[in-house]
């Protein structure tokens, strides 16, 4: 079992930057992806990007490519989401997840979830 805890959310203005963190209590056996998803009010949970637990391979949704960057600190078991050029449409609760299987872009590909952190971008 692993616990994930997000932090770093807040209220920012359009164009600002923000960095979210996701601390993991451990690495479960067989888990090889860590990801960020987001969910806006009234919408389904949406894939943002993932990073492989071993190595540094990343993959991003088209909506955030070039603006968001996922990184990690293996010593701290922590993953980060750097967000630049924030837009009002980026407003959502951001969740981190860990899992394996599939393409890594679907909610069902992930087995462990954090509780989320709110990001609000004002225009």
């Amino acid at each position: 079992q692993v616990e994930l805890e997000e932090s770093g959310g807040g209220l920012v203005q359009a164009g600002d930057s923000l960095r979210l963190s996701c601390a993991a209590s451990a690495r479960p056996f067989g888990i090889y992806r860590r990801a960020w998803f987001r969910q806006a009010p009234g919408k389904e949970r949406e894939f943002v990007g993932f990073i492989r637990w071993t190595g540094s391979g990343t993959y991003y949704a088209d909506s955030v490519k070039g603006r968001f960057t996922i990184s990690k600190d293996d010593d701290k078991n922590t993953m980060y989401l750097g967000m630049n050029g924030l837009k009002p449409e980026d407003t959502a609760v951001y969740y981190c997840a860990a899992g394996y299987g599939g393409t890594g872009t679907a909610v069902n590909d992930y087995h462990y979830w954090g509780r989320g952190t709110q990001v609000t971008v004002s225009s």
Side-chain angles (χ1 to χ4, degrees), residues 12 14 19 31 38 47 58-59 63 70 85 88 94 108 112 117 123:
V12 297
R19 190 177 81 157
I31 298 296
R38 65 186 182 185
F47 171 75
T58 55
Y59 181 79
S63 58
I70 297 175
Y94 283 71
N108 290 339
Y112 301 98
T117 184
S123 57

Side-chain angles (χ1 to χ4, degrees), residues 74-123:
D74 291 334
D75 291 337
K76 297 181 179 179
N77 252 349
T78 299
M79 173 178 67
Y80 304 98
L81 178 65
M83 304 183 290
N84 296 321
L86 282 163
K87 306 174 183 180
E89 51 263 44
D90 294 318
T91 295
V93 176
Y94 283 71
Y95 298 90
C96 67
Y100 62 92
T103 63
T105 62
V107 169
N108 290 339
D109 293 338
Y110 294 89
H111 307 80
Y112 301 98
W113 292 86
R115 295 184 177 182
T117 184
Q118 176 72 46
V119 173
T120 303
V121 184
S122 64
S123 57

